[in-house]
Amino acid sequence: PRHKCGNQKSCPQNYFAFKIVSGAANVVGPSICFEDLVLMSNVKNNIGRGLNIALVNGTTGQLLKTDSFDMYSG
């Protein structure tokens, strides 16, 4: 069976499914999936160099904001 975000197991009831994948230099970009919805990825063109952050409401699961913090440039 297929599980949300391509995880190996389903999450228990009242838990959110998510998957965070780190990038590999500038070859493969990072991605963030939450409840089977890709929030950030190369395809969506909303990732940046450094830390990529998705702010999600912990009660409703609603995406509030995405952004990146460039650790290299300071």
Side-chain angles (χ1 to χ4, degrees):
R2 189 188 177 293
H3 305 288
K4 290 181 180 177
C5 292
N7 289 325
Q8 292 180 353
K9 294 193 253 180
S10 289
C11 292
Q13 250 185 341
N14 299 322
Y15 284 80
F16 292 119
F18 69 93
K19 187 172 189 176
I20 301 172
V21 179
S22 178
N26 61 353
V27 179
V28 177
S31 68
I32 300 175
C33 176
F34 183 81
E35 282 295 294
D36 230 14
L37 177 67
V38 176
L39 304 180
M40 301 184 80
S41 72
N42 269 343
V43 174
K44 292 180 87 63
N45 198 28
N46 64 348
I47 57 171
R49 177 174 71 178
L51 295 175
N52 290 275
I53 302 164
L55 179 62
V56 176
N57 181 309
T59 303
T60 65
Q62 176 188 9
L63 175 65
L64 301 174
K65 184 176 180 179
T66 61
D67 210 342
S68 61
F69 181 73
D70 189 343
M71 301 284 291
Y72 182 77
S73 70

